[in-house]
Amino acid sequence: MMKNEYTPGEQRNFQTHFAALAGRVDTALEQLLPGEDTPPPVLHTAMRYSTLAGGKRLRPVLALAACEAVGGEVEQILPAACALELIHTYSLIHDDLPAMDNDDLRRGLPTCHIKFGEAMAILAGDALLTMAFELLSAPGLPVPPQRQLAVLHEVAVAAGSQGLVGGQVLDIQATGRETTPEELVDIHRRKTGMLIRAAVRLGAMLGGASSSQLAALTTYAEHFGLTFQIIDDILDITGDEQKLGKPVGSDQKNNKVTYVSLYGLEVARQKAQESRQQARAALADLGERAWFLRALVDFVISRDH
């Protein structure tokens, strides 16, 4: 079982700890996803192809780190954390479709619809989303049923018309037209921020957070999500396609409104730094247990992929 005690004198290697948490997620996903020979095999092959193709596992790692920060045991919440990755993967499969962003590469590999066809990509995404709620509603989470139900509801809202899906709709409607800063914030809050917020809150709630701890981690998550999205917008302009594993410039190609298109590179970078500082400040009362969450927002601001 992973230990959750961190003392000021302890050696802390961010990359090692990130790899350890992400590795646990990868192992759990490998075990939880139906095997490729499970009927219908083409569907389960497509689900595994897109989910196990790599990626940072940022959302489940955030959930596990929030659980650690409040003294919970990450092993007990791994299936719930993996549900977040399934929702994220489903959203990427659908985003890549010709009717959406029409991308051919994801994580350096052909996108799901290029590999398996559009119909199977849609169905693989549908199946991943449904499986996520199967995991979130399964018995065995280390909390009373009412708290598990609260987590389930929170993730459903974050993934639905008020969250991720609604954000995608607003993004499509904003394409090619003048957009206000307030509209841009709302698009990113829904499309990216709400699932990140739900990830942190899921880990905290399942880890036994107090109301004050949950409030602090919620504030952290909101600023973390904004930092992540601004950097994502910047990398679409400045990133290296080989490192990103997907084409750069797709936002420009698709006439999408971003922090860079609205503010320019330098102001976008400044806004990312401001959000990072606010995220770190939110963790002040959580002390040493939150060291990894502090390091994680620093990692996001400096990432190149």
Side-chain angles (χ1 to χ4, degrees):
M1 192 68 70
M2 182 176 288
K3 300 296 183 185
N4 295 317
E5 296 296 333
Y6 297 104
T7 60
E10 184 178 353
Q11 176 69 33
R12 299 180 189 138
N13 187 314
F14 169 75
Q15 292 292 348
T16 299
H17 196 58
F18 192 111
L21 293 179
R24 286 179 179 229
V25 172
D26 282 334
T27 299
L29 286 169
E30 176 73 40
Q31 294 168 349
L32 290 166
L33 284 162
E36 291 185 359
D37 56 351
T38 304
V42 64
L43 174 64
H44 295 121
T45 300
M47 291 166 66
R48 292 179 70 88
Y49 172 83
S50 290
T51 307
L52 303 178
K56 292 177 285 294
R57 309 304 188 204
L58 183 64
R59 288 150 192 83
V61 164
L62 275 166
L64 299 180
C67 180
E68 285 185 324
V70 299
E73 293 290 350
V74 299
E75 209 61 54
Q76 295 181 332
I77 74 157
L78 263 172
C82 286
L84 299 164
E85 190 67 17
L86 298 187
I87 293 171
H88 177 56
T89 303
Y90 123 80
S91 73
L92 298 181
I93 291 173
H94 284 193
D95 275 1
D96 289 336
L97 287 166
M100 298 282 197
D101 291 347
N102 195 24
D103 283 328
D104 294 342
L105 281 179
R106 172 69 65 180
R107 295 168 176 167
L109 297 171
T111 48
C112 192
H113 70 274
I114 294 294
K115 180 84 172 175
F116 297 96
E118 289 180 40
M120 201 53 58
I122 293 168
L123 293 169
D126 293 345
L128 288 169
L129 176 62
T130 307
M131 184 179 170
F133 290 101
E134 179 185 336
L135 294 177
L136 288 168
S137 61
L141 288 176
V143 291
Q146 64 268 27
R147 184 166 281 210
Q148 183 174 0
L149 185 61
V151 168
L152 186 64
H153 179 262
E154 180 133 354
V155 176
V157 171
S161 65
Q162 300 301 303
L164 190 156
V165 175
Q168 179 69 14
V169 170
L170 294 176
D171 192 28
I172 290 170
Q173 291 178 330
T175 299
R177 71 167 176 83
E178 190 172 329
T179 305
T180 67
E182 292 76 19
E183 287 174 320
L184 178 62
V185 168
D186 192 37
I187 290 168
H188 286 335
R189 180 184 66 82
R190 293 172 187 267
K191 187 177 176 182
T192 303
M194 282 188 68
L195 192 58
I196 284 175
R197 182 182 186 272
V200 173
R201 284 176 57 86
L202 176 152
M205 292 166 75
L206 296 181
S210 67
S211 58
S212 62
Q213 288 174 326
L214 184 60
L217 286 165
T218 301
T219 301
Y220 166 85
E222 288 167 352
H223 291 296
F224 182 101
L226 181 56
T227 306
F228 180 85
Q229 184 58 61
I230 295 172
I231 296 299
D232 212 48
D233 288 352
I234 290 170
L235 286 175
D236 189 70
I237 301 293
T238 66
D240 181 285
E241 188 168 314
Q242 297 243 323
K243 289 182 179 178
L244 289 172
K246 61 181 181 179
V248 296
S250 63
D251 288 340
Q252 282 185 317
K253 179 189 77 174
N254 293 318
N255 259 341
K256 287 189 177 292
V257 60
T258 68
Y259 275 86
V260 177
S261 68
L262 205 58
Y263 295 108
L265 267 174
E266 289 313 307
V267 174
R269 287 192 175 109
Q270 180 185 337
K271 287 183 174 294
Q273 287 290 353
E274 290 168 358
S275 291
R276 167 195 168 238
Q277 289 164 5
Q278 290 173 300
R280 288 181 61 91
L283 300 174
D285 291 339
L286 287 167
E288 289 299 312
R289 286 190 189 274
W291 75 269
F292 182 75
L293 289 172
R294 293 186 188 93
L296 194 53
V297 75
D298 291 344
F299 162 75
V300 163
I301 203 88
S302 63
R303 70 189 178 100
D304 59 5
H305 65 285

